[in-house]
Amino acid sequence: MTFDTLGLFEPLLRTLASLNYRTPTPLQLQSIPAILHRRDLIATAQTGTGKTAGFALPVLQLLTTAGAPVRANSVRSLILVPTRELAEQVHQSVKTYGQTLPLRTLAVYGGVSINPQMMALRKGVDVLVATPGRLLDLHRHNAVRFSQLQVLVLDEADRMLDLGFASELDELTAVLPKQRQTLLFSATFSERLEQLAVQISRDPLRIAVNTPNAAASTVQQSLVPVDRKRKTELFLHLLRDRQWGQVLAFVNTRKGADLLVQAIQATGTRVEAIHGDKRQPTRLRALERFKAGEIQVLVATGVAARGLDIDDLPLVVNIDLPVVPEDYIHRIGRTGRAGAAGEAVSLVSADEVPHLAAIESLIGELLTRREEASFEPDHRLPVTTVDGQIKKKPKKPKKARQATQPAHTAPAPATAPNSRIHLGDWLEDEPSGARTPAASRSGSGKPASTRRPPRQ
Ligand code: AMP
C-alpha cells in the first residue's frame, strides 16, 4: 500500500517522496482517508506510530483545498498539545509536511514572551499548534479568534489531562465553533478521557493501532534491581560496562536530574538535562545537541521529555520509575519508534515496587529482571505478578533463609521464587498502600493516577 491510494494530492505526495516515506503506517492507512472525508476521529496511538503525519497530512490538504483564506487574528485549524517541546516538534513536522503549500503555521506556548506570539497571530494562521494555557491567555487578549476554525486536533490528550489541563480544555472547547472536525489522539484511555472524547466529537471513527495501554512491542524491556542509594553508581557502571551509546535517562525530580548530571559529568561523559526549571531555549538547545550526537546522555524529567521526537534512539533508561504508570509507556515510546528495535532498562529499588506492579499490570507483562553482579540490592525487590499483586516471602526459620540465599550472583528470573525475598527488608521498605493490589493503589494509598507527580 502506498500513499497515493489514500487520496492525498500531488504536492503532498512529492513531499513524502522527498522525505523517503514510502509506506503509510497502519495508523496513517486508517486516519488519512477518514480525515479527508471529514470524519471525526478518536485514535489510540502512542508516539512512534506516525500519528503526527497521520493527522497533519490530511489537515494540510483540507486547508489548502477547502475554506476561505484566513482572516486577521483567525485560525483555521488548531492542534492542542500538552507541552512546549511537543508544540515545537509538531510545528516542525507540520512545516516539513506543508513545505510546498501556501499555508501559514505557528506554535504558541507558555514560558516565553507573549508579545511576539500576539504579533505573529495578527495576519491569521492556517495551522496553530498550541499548549492550552497560553492559548487561553491569547484568547483573553483578543489575539486569536476561532470563527474560522475548521479542525481541532488534541494530541496526547491523556497527557493533557494528567497535567491538569481539564478545565482549560473545557474553557477552550466552549468558545470553539460547534461545526468543526475533531481529531483526538491519545496513547492511553481512561474513563475521564473517554467522557471528554464523547463530549467534543461527533460520530467519531475509532482507531486503535496498538492494544490500548500496551507498550511498543518492538521495545525490549528489562529491569535491574538495585538499592535506591546505589542507582547513580549502577547507571555509570552500566554505561561503561555495556558500552551504551546515546541514552535518554529519566528521573522523577528536577533535583534528581541535576545531581545525576553532576555525577555523569564527573566521569567525563557529555551530558545535559532538560526539566521544568530550565528555560525553553535551553531545553530546545539540549535536545538539538542530543539529536546531533554532541551529547551522549540526556537526563530528563517525564514532563520535559514528553513528545520528544528522536529518531532511532536505541536506549531509554528509567533511573526512577514513573509515579503514574501510563508515563512508563510514554517514556519507553521514545525508543523503538516506527518499528525500529529499541531497549528500555529500568533501575528499580524495593520502595518502587508498587509503581512497578502498577506498570506491569498496565502493560500486561512482567519486566524481565536482570541482576547486575556486585549491585545486588540489600533491600530485595519483591516478586510481582502480572495482575498487579506484590508477593511477600512467607516467614522462614533463619537457617533455611540462609540456605536459600548463599550469594547474590544468579540473575533473578521475572517470576523469581518467593524464597529470594527477605521479608524483613521488604517490610522495612513497604509503603502504606503496598499491601493492596498495586495496579489500583500506590505508595500513598491513593490511586496512582490521581496522585500529583513530583515537580518535574
Ligand atoms: P510520530 O508517531 O508522529 O511521533 O512519528 C514517529 C516517527 O516516524 C517520526 O520521526 C516520523 O518522521 C516518522 N514517520 C511517520 N510516518 C512515517 C512513514 N510513513 N514512513 C517513514 N517514517 C515515518
Side-chain angles (χ1 to χ4, degrees):
M1 187 70 89
T2 51
F3 278 104
D4 47 8
T5 59
L6 301 182
L8 290 176
F9 67 177
E10 213 28 60
L12 286 176
L13 293 177
R14 278 198 300 273
T15 303
L16 290 173
S18 75
L19 294 172
N20 211 12
Y21 285 18
R22 295 209 180 90
T23 328
T25 64
L27 175 103
Q28 291 162 358
L29 275 180
Q30 298 181 70
S31 69
I32 292 174
I35 297 172
L36 287 175
H37 283 100
R38 300 189 175 280
R39 284 288 305 267
D40 280 8
L41 203 74
I42 297 180
T44 311
Q46 32 191 116
T47 44
T49 54
K51 67 185 164 70
T52 315
F55 64 74
L57 292 167
V59 167
L60 289 168
Q61 178 162 332
L62 288 176
L63 294 172
T64 310
T65 55
V70 69
R71 291 192 291 269
N73 288 101
S74 291
V75 293
R76 295 176 68 212
S77 67
L78 177 59
I79 303 172
L80 288 178
V81 294
T83 65
R84 315 158 190 192
E85 278 79 10
L86 191 59
E88 277 295 342
Q89 281 176 10
V90 169
H91 184 224
Q92 197 50 51
S93 300
V94 167
K95 281 203 295 193
T96 305
Y97 301 139
Q99 56 190 266
T100 63
L101 306 178
L103 298 173
R104 266 203 294 272
T105 67
L106 179 69
V108 294
Y109 41 79
V112 292
S113 166
I114 198 168
N115 291 335
Q117 297 177 352
M118 292 171 77
M119 298 275 284
L121 278 164
R122 275 192 194 157
K123 284 189 188 158
V125 172
D126 294 288
V127 184
L128 181 66
V129 186
T131 52
R134 175 53 59 97
L135 184 63
L136 269 180
D137 274 355
L138 287 162
H139 187 249
R140 287 183 196 122
H141 282 88
N142 289 322
V144 60
R145 291 189 204 117
F146 298 119
S147 53
Q148 267 194 299
L149 189 95
Q150 288 175 231
V151 189
L152 167 68
V153 182
L154 271 77
D155 193 11
E156 305 205 354
D158 50 350
R159 189 62 178 172
M160 280 197 263
L161 293 188
D162 283 350
L163 291 177
F165 284 131
S167 63
E168 277 89 347
L169 289 178
D170 283 346
E171 227 179 297
L172 277 169
T173 49
V175 294
L176 299 182
K178 296 277 167 290
Q179 274 292 341
R180 58 160 202 261
Q181 189 174 10
T182 302
L183 316 172
L184 184 145
F185 292 80
S186 193
T188 57
F189 268 83
S190 59
E191 227 169 88
R192 200 158 139 238
L193 183 55
E194 184 59 35
Q195 275 171 10
L196 173 78
V198 168
Q199 202 181 313
I200 64 171
S201 62
R202 274 187 318 180
D203 184 27
L205 177 72
R206 291 186 181 254
I207 299 179
V209 286
N210 278 312
T211 325
N213 299 344
S217 57
T218 48
V219 181
Q220 249 190 43
Q221 301 166 63
S222 63
L223 71 80
V224 186
V226 63
D227 282 330
R228 174 163 284 284
K229 59 179 187 290
R230 296 193 72 196
K231 282 192 174 194
T232 301
E233 193 191 338
L234 173 61
F235 176 74
L236 295 174
H237 164 81
L238 294 173
L239 189 66
R240 203 174 44 240
D241 197 62
R242 297 195 187 171
Q243 300 182 330
W244 280 344
Q246 276 201 300
V247 186
L248 177 58
F250 284 101
V251 292
N252 284 352
T253 62
R254 303 170 187 194
K255 190 161 172 244
D258 288 337
L259 288 173
L260 183 63
V261 164
Q262 281 169 21
I264 297 171
Q265 258 164 356
T267 67
T269 304
R270 282 158 300 141
V271 55
E272 285 198 30
I274 52 171
H275 56 63
D277 276 349
K278 305 256 178 190
R279 290 183 53 243
Q280 177 65 3
T282 315
R283 286 154 71 166
L284 286 176
R285 207 167 44 244
L287 179 59
E288 286 312 315
R289 292 190 62 207
F290 187 62
K291 281 184 177 181
E294 291 167 20
I295 49 178
Q296 187 184 351
V297 183
L298 186 63
V299 176
T301 57
V303 166
R306 180 71 178 178
L308 292 188
D309 180 8
I310 306 166
D311 289 339
D312 303 327
L313 181 67
L315 181 61
V316 165
V317 177
N318 288 308
I319 310 275
D320 298 321
L321 279 184
V323 176
V324 179
E326 284 83 0
D327 282 352
Y328 176 82
I329 295 172
H330 296 309
R331 289 183 182 186
I332 73 160
R334 310 297 120 202
T335 180
R337 290 160 84 82
E343 195 184 348
V345 179
S346 301
L347 314 188
V348 185
S349 50
D351 58 301
E352 292 176 298
V353 76
H355 304 323
L356 173 66
I359 289 165
E360 290 175 329
S361 155
L362 180 71
I363 64 173
E365 63 183 82
L366 295 176
L367 301 187
T368 307
R369 297 183 178 209
R370 295 210 177 92
E371 284 205 345
E372 187 66 21
S374 79
F375 283 90
E376 300 86 352
D378 292 335
H379 300 283
R380 309 294 297 171
L381 187 61
V383 168
T384 47
T385 63
V386 79
D387 59 351
Q389 303 287 329
I390 300 165
K391 296 269 184 209
K392 289 183 292 189
K393 181 194 161 210
K395 267 191 178 164
K396 278 192 177 175
K398 220 174 179 182
K399 260 191 179 168
R401 271 177 64 181
Q402 277 165 358
T404 57
Q405 301 197 2
H408 298 302
T409 46
T415 49
N418 287 346
S419 59
R420 288 190 60 81
I421 297 174
H422 297 230
L423 179 61
D425 292 346
W426 165 224
L427 291 176
E428 195 181 309
D429 282 328
E430 185 178 27
S432 56
R435 285 162 187 261
T436 56
S440 57
R441 293 171 72 85
S442 53
S444 69
K446 286 184 185 176
S449 57
T450 64
R451 294 182 62 200
R452 276 225 162 269
R455 279 163 62 82
Q456 302 188 329

